[in-house]
Amino acid sequence: MSEAGPFVVFANFLSDLAVDLNEGRVLAQWAQQAPRKAWLLRPGDVLITPVPLGREFLRYVFDLTQVSPDSVTVVEVPPSGAVPLARAVREAGLAEHVRALAGDRGAALLPTALDASAIAFARDLGLTVHPYPTVEAAEAALKTTMLLNTKAGFRETAGHLGMRLPAGRVCRRPEVEGVVREFLRSYEGVVVKPDRSAGGHGMRFLSRDDLNGGASLVLDTVGGPLGTWVVEERLDVAESVSVQLDTTPAGTRALFSGAMRTTRGSFTGYVSPLPASCAHVAGELEAWGTALGGHLAGHGFAGPFGLDALVDARGEAYASESNIRRTATTTPHAMVVRLTKAQAAAGAPAAWSVAKGRTRHPFDFEGALGRLREHHLAFDPASGEGVVLYADAPPDGRSWRYAVIAGSTADVREQEAALAEALEFEVR
């Protein structure tokens, strides 16, 4: 994120960019991550969030980022169901308040997802959309943004760009079972993916045993009765990896890469840099990402995006999807860069991870932070290492999202083990 004029940080997790808005329960879960956007705030910025932020959490963020609480504004939007955040702002009567906060300071909207409602909201408020020079430029990128956030759109584009892909086919819901049965005659297992899905929502992993004896295939409701799905060969996966990049008219640059932690296709965490077991795919990942960035820039897109891939047991990488938006790792990475700026300037390496652990007993924010301090695990600005509670206290007091920053991936693993003991994480 550049140091351009003030931002209206727009935590629009409730967006149709990745999942249909009728998937309200899933979107509401994702929206619980909105507090992490506080790590982006600088003096003069405004944060619009669909969930409240705890005072203790905000004090903690501002203490570590050295931002005066009086220099930023947090606008909490009351719950309004599964509707885009822009609509919720209007329904709550907060649009004029946001307009007044943005003022005539050259502020830009910084959305989590570039979707039609965010663009319309920026236009209504007289804001540009970062990093585009005009609202019209952002709107011109919307078609490509929507397309490349679909599994089908990605497969077509990735194929044209020369990326290695798992064998697969795009089809409509009524055709899925027939395609699955056909693929299972050639492959031991298949993966079935909704066309628009993030975080593994709606995915199915199937083997021949699952459809034996005349059993029928039951899919998630996502996408509706005629929705698009992708059926792919199930690879023997050793690692799930990603590279995160940023593209502008001047070119595309890789920001970071790492390995995703997943459970049956669902994202549960991330560690960067790439572990030694799959570091050999870094160059290919960056080459694929750079090619995709050039394609995106040619269609008007600018900003951060991610490319995911699977590394099979033979060590070969296969591109799996693109996320043309701020992803689950974009803001944590920005936080890590911000908190370790002094150490990076001195040439010190930084490894980091994000994950979620479930405690045996509930904590409030001060209680969890107190445990970290008691066990000497809390992030230390002087050393640039430690554990950061980057997403506020969870509603249940037990499902804690955290980041670990250390000098090496081995140190990250060591601190994560100590954290699990300090907060008494349940063993899964």
Side-chain angles (χ1 to χ4, degrees):
M1 192 171 74
S2 74
E3 296 300 319
F7 290 120
V8 176
V9 180
F10 195 56
N12 61 330
F13 287 85
L14 276 80
S15 166
D16 64 353
L17 188 66
V19 175
D20 294 333
L21 288 175
N22 58 16
E23 299 295 309
R25 180 183 59 81
V26 175
L27 291 167
Q29 278 184 328
W30 290 344
Q32 293 300 321
Q33 301 177 62
R36 72 187 188 205
K37 297 299 181 181
W39 296 101
L40 301 177
L41 295 173
R42 308 159 308 157
D45 287 349
V46 177
L47 170 60
I48 304 177
T49 168
V51 297
L53 278 65
R55 289 185 179 181
E56 297 84 0
F57 173 70
L58 280 174
R59 186 163 56 243
Y60 169 72
V61 172
F62 294 147
D63 180 55
L64 287 179
T65 57
Q66 297 185 314
V67 171
S68 168
D70 296 332
S71 68
V72 299
T73 305
V74 177
V75 178
E76 297 176 358
V77 183
S80 189
V83 301
L85 183 57
R87 177 176 162 186
V89 170
R90 295 187 186 95
E91 290 180 353
L94 292 170
E96 288 305 315
H97 176 54
V98 174
R99 191 195 310 275
L101 290 170
D104 297 321
R105 300 177 296 146
L109 193 74
L110 183 69
T112 298
L114 180 68
D115 60 16
S117 64
I119 291 170
F121 188 60
R123 181 176 280 117
D124 289 350
L125 297 182
L127 306 176
T128 58
V129 179
H130 185 75
Y132 299 92
T134 64
V135 175
E136 290 72 25
E139 191 168 38
L142 186 57
K143 181 179 179 181
T144 295
T145 302
M146 294 293 291
L147 179 64
L148 267 297
N149 273 300
T150 68
K151 304 295 188 288
F154 172 73
R155 281 189 65 88
E156 181 179 3
T157 300
H160 289 322
L161 294 176
M163 298 182 204
R164 188 181 303 108
L165 296 167
R169 187 180 304 171
V170 178
C171 54
R172 296 288 184 180
R173 177 189 288 269
E175 305 166 323
V176 171
E177 183 170 335
V179 175
V180 167
R181 291 185 182 278
E182 179 185 335
F183 269 51
L184 287 175
R185 288 195 287 270
S186 301
Y187 306 107
E188 292 294 324
V190 299
V191 185
V192 183
K193 307 175 182 179
D195 195 28
R196 290 198 305 143
S197 173
H201 176 57
M203 286 177 61
R204 292 287 305 279
F205 294 84
L206 300 166
S207 67
R208 292 167 183 170
D209 291 341
D210 293 313
L211 295 182
N212 279 343
S216 60
L217 175 58
V218 179
L219 299 174
D220 197 286
T221 58
V222 62
L226 295 176
T228 303
W229 291 70
V230 172
V231 179
E232 289 182 346
E233 166 196 9
R234 183 175 183 177
L235 302 173
D236 183 8
V237 177
E239 293 278 5
S240 297
V241 299
S242 81
V243 60
Q244 306 293 312
L245 308 100
D246 186 85
T247 193
T248 68
T252 300
R253 64 189 180 102
L255 302 175
F256 61 96
S257 58
M260 293 180 282
R261 296 164 175 175
T262 62
T263 301
R264 292 194 63 80
S266 295
F267 179 92
T268 60
Y270 193 82
V271 61
S272 179
L274 286 167
S277 61
C278 56
H280 64 280
V281 306
E284 190 166 41
L285 276 182
E286 288 194 17
W288 288 350
T290 300
L292 181 58
H295 174 84
L296 290 167
H299 289 77
F301 177 83
F305 68 98
L307 172 67
D308 296 349
L310 304 170
V311 181
D312 70 9
R314 299 170 301 167
E316 197 155 52
Y318 291 80
S320 57
E321 68 177 20
S322 55
N323 296 293
I324 315 303
R325 59 182 183 274
R326 294 182 171 274
T327 70
T329 57
T330 308
T331 295
H333 173 258
M335 176 192 74
V336 170
V337 170
R338 189 172 189 177
L339 294 182
T340 61
K341 191 172 182 179
Q343 290 76 21
W352 57 279
S353 70
V354 290
K356 185 166 70 172
R358 183 171 174 81
T359 61
R360 295 182 185 277
H361 310 287
F363 293 98
D364 60 15
F365 190 85
E366 285 297 325
L369 183 58
R371 280 289 185 99
L372 297 187
R373 288 169 173 161
E374 177 186 341
H375 289 262
H376 307 289
L377 291 169
F379 179 80
D380 176 16
S383 67
E385 297 191 6
V387 178
V388 182
L389 300 176
Y390 75 94
D392 206 351
D396 64 1
R398 298 178 63 189
S399 306
W400 288 85
R401 296 180 186 274
Y402 63 86
V404 176
I405 307 171
S408 69
T409 51
D411 292 340
V412 166
R413 287 194 297 269
E414 184 178 322
Q415 289 205 34
E416 285 194 293
L419 172 65
E421 185 175 339
L423 289 186
E424 300 179 37
F425 285 164
E426 293 179 346
V427 179
R428 299 199 175 194

